[in-house]
Amino acid sequence: MHVAWSFLPVCALATGCVAGSVDLEGRDGGPALPGIGESARYACIELDEDFLRFVNQQAGERHEREAIIRSHCDWDVQLTSMTLDSDSGGFSMEGYASPPTTLRARDTYTLTVVYVGSDTWPEESGSVQFAFDDQAQAHLRLTMRGDVVAPRIELDRTLLEFGDVVYESTDGPGSPSFCASELAYLRVKNVGYGLLHVGTVVPPSPFEVEYIEVGGTIQQRGPFVLERNQRAEVAFRYTPTAYGEQRDVLRLLHDAPEGVSEVNLAGRGIDASPIVETFHQGTEVAVDILWAIDSSGSMEEEQARLVANLGQFVDYAEGLGADYQMAVIEAQELESGAGVFRTCAPHPPVVGASYLDNDARNEAFSCMVEVGTMGFATETAAGATRIALERAQSDDQTSSNPNAGFLRPHADLAIVAISDEDDQSLLPDDVLLDAMFAAKDFDRSRVRFHAIAGPLPMGCPFANRALRYSQMVDATGGMFFGICADDWSPLLTSLGLDVFRPRSRFGLKHHADELTLDVRVDGAFVPRDAFDGYAYDPDGRWITFSERRIPPPGSEITVTYVPHCPR
């Protein structure tokens, strides 16, 4: 809103106003006052306060603050305009005389700024600009800010799509399928002031809530409460109850001004007819690598080994001409800066193959991985990775987000966890793995989790066994290395061999009837043979090629099969 006024004489309302004239020619024969239009003429005019803050006000209530213009001049100055700007009209002014008028020498001018906040505009900004002597540019500026104590809800999407899911049921249409979709996520955030209360989340059938995560705590359905800037993640799953497209609307009830937010839900039940999935082996190796490193007090020697031998890993990538970039986080999900990429000035937080020269890259990597030993004793690399990937997928892809630009559409994702303790993340493994797969649109072929940790079954002299890390490695086809090795050179070389090689595993969208599988590379049939062909893992839905049969760069892989629902 933009408003301008015309004024009455100042003396009508200003306090301390003295009638009469001022010697405009100066006193005691001194120099004359500055000429009309000269900045010195009104530089002696000041605001007692140039910023008025209205904090945590209730919506609809009226609040007032005085703004005082004070003249330190020995001459009169003409106030020619006063202009109010207000985002939504929450600010207004009262108790003033309208310009053009004269501000007398050594006098004050008082006006009242009024703020009335609104639920629909909880953060209001405004300003008043004062111009003197017909100058186009304002000499004084009063800035106002008002905040309403009211929650405000923000959803990261208004449509959840679950894709195609096989419909198989012994009880016929109307009953749930034996198959269900991958998880789909809705993130709810309180971007207002005051607590946001969200009611029980009950989506219509055949969609259902798998879990709700708030502050690292898992609950079922709700209700839940979010503080300012706090986020909740609601995970949904679709289990078809019929063939064909199924759509509905989730109504999310809350105490933000709107009262209810709607999210569209869509999925499709398909029959068990043959389908074809197509994969492409890249012409070059492209991979985004995230290191999650334990920063607890017992990790000093292990970090030193990593720094001393990281060159083996980087040199292998350089030798292949791989298109790679790397970032580092602490293996800690509990602190406020969890998941934020480390930065070693003057280097950026994400450093890749195109950054400066080899020496600069090695210098940056060596600095980034030295996370120190002052972190918590509770190691949570997988949980911190989940948060880091969320930050990388944020709508904020500017320089204010250190994780921006890390996840490239054409690149695979490799995660390397390094810890002398097993993972103690708050969320269960399937939720953590889903977050990793979601970073690549649930193309599980493009995500591998690796670990350097305490080996099974008993650990090693300086590290406890890492069962959770081992299970995540197995679930993604990654590599596991014992952390107690004295020489990390062969370890990091082997890791490089795996990270920077063409893909050998491809994840199917559905469970396959194994007798119907037909796998081809560039049209050539590949036998089901673990030593000279491919193997199929029905639990993970993986097609894994043997070393001799890894599809070459630029090749096309097609898998034809009849989907089915495991009993």
Side-chain angles (χ1 to χ4, degrees):
M1 176 178 288
H2 176 87
V3 184
W5 286 270
S6 297
F7 280 72
L8 298 171
V10 169
C11 283
L13 292 175
T15 60
C17 181
V18 179
S21 62
V22 175
D23 181 4
L24 300 183
E25 299 301 324
R27 292 185 173 83
D28 302 325
L33 70 150
I36 299 297
E38 295 181 18
S39 61
R41 182 178 176 84
Y42 49 84
C44 44
I45 308 291
E46 295 179 347
L47 283 163
D48 277 8
E49 291 182 78
D50 62 3
F51 180 64
L52 298 182
R53 186 81 159 89
F54 298 80
V55 182
N56 294 342
Q57 308 298 333
Q58 296 296 323
E61 291 185 357
R62 174 190 172 93
H63 299 274
E64 299 179 358
R65 295 281 301 275
E66 283 192 344
I68 299 174
I69 305 174
R70 193 176 300 278
S71 171
H72 301 284
C73 305
D74 290 329
W75 46 81
D76 293 353
V77 175
Q78 188 179 53
L79 174 63
T80 53
S81 70
M82 186 169 75
T83 305
L84 169 70
D85 284 301
S86 180
D87 286 345
S88 69
F91 288 107
S92 60
M93 294 192 300
E94 297 178 356
Y96 51 80
S98 303
T101 192
T102 301
L103 181 59
R104 300 297 183 183
R106 301 290 177 176
D107 205 352
T108 59
Y109 179 91
T110 303
L111 60 91
T112 301
V113 176
V114 179
Y115 171 63
V116 180
S118 167
D119 281 339
T120 58
W121 204 283
E123 298 176 342
E124 173 91 2
S125 296
S127 67
V128 185
Q129 299 188 66
F130 305 88
F132 302 93
D133 289 345
D134 292 321
Q135 296 297 298
Q137 183 173 1
H139 172 60
L140 295 182
R141 178 185 175 92
L142 171 66
T143 302
M144 297 91 73
R145 169 70 183 270
D147 298 319
V148 170
V149 180
R152 187 178 175 190
I153 193 168
E154 181 180 85
L155 306 180
D156 71 333
R157 65 196 65 204
T158 57
L159 172 63
L160 291 176
E161 292 189 279
F162 297 85
D164 294 343
V165 180
V166 175
Y167 180 65
E168 282 187 14
S169 173
T170 55
D171 296 329
S175 59
S177 174
F178 295 113
C179 278
S181 71
E182 303 278 9
L183 290 177
Y185 299 96
L186 174 69
R187 294 183 176 95
V188 183
K189 187 174 182 180
N190 179 11
V191 295
Y193 293 83
L195 298 176
L196 173 66
H197 296 80
V198 180
T200 302
V201 185
V202 184
S205 176
F207 308 94
E208 58 188 18
V209 174
E210 189 85 359
Y211 68 85
I212 299 172
E213 180 264 323
V214 181
T217 300
I218 294 290
Q219 60 185 82
Q220 301 297 322
R221 294 199 170 196
F224 59 90
V225 180
L226 298 179
E227 298 177 356
R228 172 163 170 78
N229 288 328
Q230 190 176 24
R231 174 200 56 75
E233 184 173 81
V234 187
F236 297 84
R237 203 180 293 276
Y238 163 60
T239 305
T241 55
Y243 296 111
E245 188 172 61
Q246 296 185 280
R247 289 182 173 271
D248 219 314
V249 177
L250 166 71
R251 292 172 54 83
L252 201 64
L253 303 179
H254 50 76
D255 63 352
E258 307 94 308
V260 60
S261 298
E262 294 189 346
V263 181
N264 294 295
L265 309 170
R268 192 163 73 104
I270 62 172
D271 61 15
S273 299
I275 62 173
V276 179
E277 290 193 47
T278 303
F279 307 91
H280 292 92
Q281 189 76 280
T283 55
E284 63 178 0
V285 176
V287 59
D288 300 324
I289 307 157
L290 177 60
W291 300 79
I293 303 174
D294 182 351
S295 58
S296 63
S298 58
M299 285 291 294
E300 183 175 359
E301 292 185 7
E302 288 79 3
Q303 289 183 37
R305 291 191 187 106
L306 176 60
V307 171
N309 294 280
L310 188 60
Q312 304 284 339
F313 182 87
V314 175
D315 288 347
Y316 185 79
E318 302 282 352
L320 285 177
D323 176 14
Y324 74 93
Q325 56 183 19
M326 297 203 291
V328 177
I329 58 172
E330 293 185 46
Q332 179 52 249
E333 69 175 350
L334 301 176
E335 56 190 20
S336 59
V340 175
F341 291 165
R342 281 176 50 79
T343 301
C344 285
H347 308 294
V350 179
V351 176
S354 61
Y355 178 66
L356 299 180
D357 56 28
N358 186 265
D359 289 341
R361 289 191 290 275
N362 278 315
E363 176 187 293
F365 294 144
S366 295
C367 176
M368 290 159 65
V369 299
E370 286 191 284
V371 299
T373 57
M374 301 298 290
F376 294 165
T378 304
E379 292 85 353
T380 54
T385 294
R386 172 178 176 268
I387 298 171
L389 294 175
E390 282 188 8
R391 292 181 185 273
Q393 296 170 84
S394 164
D395 290 338
D396 179 9
Q397 291 296 305
T398 67
S399 58
S400 63
N401 177 11
N403 298 24
F406 175 69
L407 291 171
R408 299 173 297 170
H410 69 286
D412 290 351
L413 173 63
I415 299 148
V416 185
I418 302 177
S419 178
D420 59 1
E421 297 282 349
D422 199 4
D423 189 76
Q424 300 168 65
S425 299
L426 298 173
L427 300 179
D429 291 1
D430 58 345
V431 174
L432 297 170
L433 288 168
D434 274 339
M436 299 175 200
F437 294 141
K440 289 298 171 186
D441 295 325
F442 286 99
D443 185 347
R444 297 173 303 128
S445 310
R446 303 181 61 193
V447 179
R448 287 202 290 273
F449 186 94
H450 309 275
I452 303 173
L456 301 182
M458 300 299 292
C460 54
F462 309 108
N464 296 326
R465 70 170 191 160
L467 178 60
R468 289 189 75 182
Y469 285 135
S470 176
Q471 291 170 338
M472 291 181 192
V473 166
D474 291 342
T476 62
M479 299 188 75
F480 190 101
F481 303 94
I483 196 172
C484 292
D486 292 328
D487 183 4
W488 279 29
S489 176
L491 179 156
L492 288 170
T493 299
S494 297
L495 182 61
L497 286 169
D498 187 80
V499 169
F500 298 112
R501 69 173 180 172
R503 295 182 209 161
S504 60
R505 297 212 316 173
F506 299 85
L508 302 180
K509 293 179 181 178
H510 309 278
H511 291 276
D513 180 343
E514 298 184 41
L515 297 178
T516 67
L517 278 167
D518 181 271
V519 178
R520 298 174 184 269
V521 176
D522 288 336
F525 176 78
V526 179
R528 186 171 178 180
D529 184 325
F531 299 101
D532 189 22
Y534 76 90
Y536 176 65
D537 172 14
D539 293 329
R541 311 196 303 274
W542 294 109
I543 297 290
T544 304
F545 290 90
S546 65
E547 288 295 326
R548 295 181 57 185
R549 292 285 191 145
I550 293 177
S555 60
E556 180 180 85
I557 302 96
T558 58
V559 182
T560 304
Y561 64 97
V562 173
H564 85 114
C565 296
R567 303 295 195 271

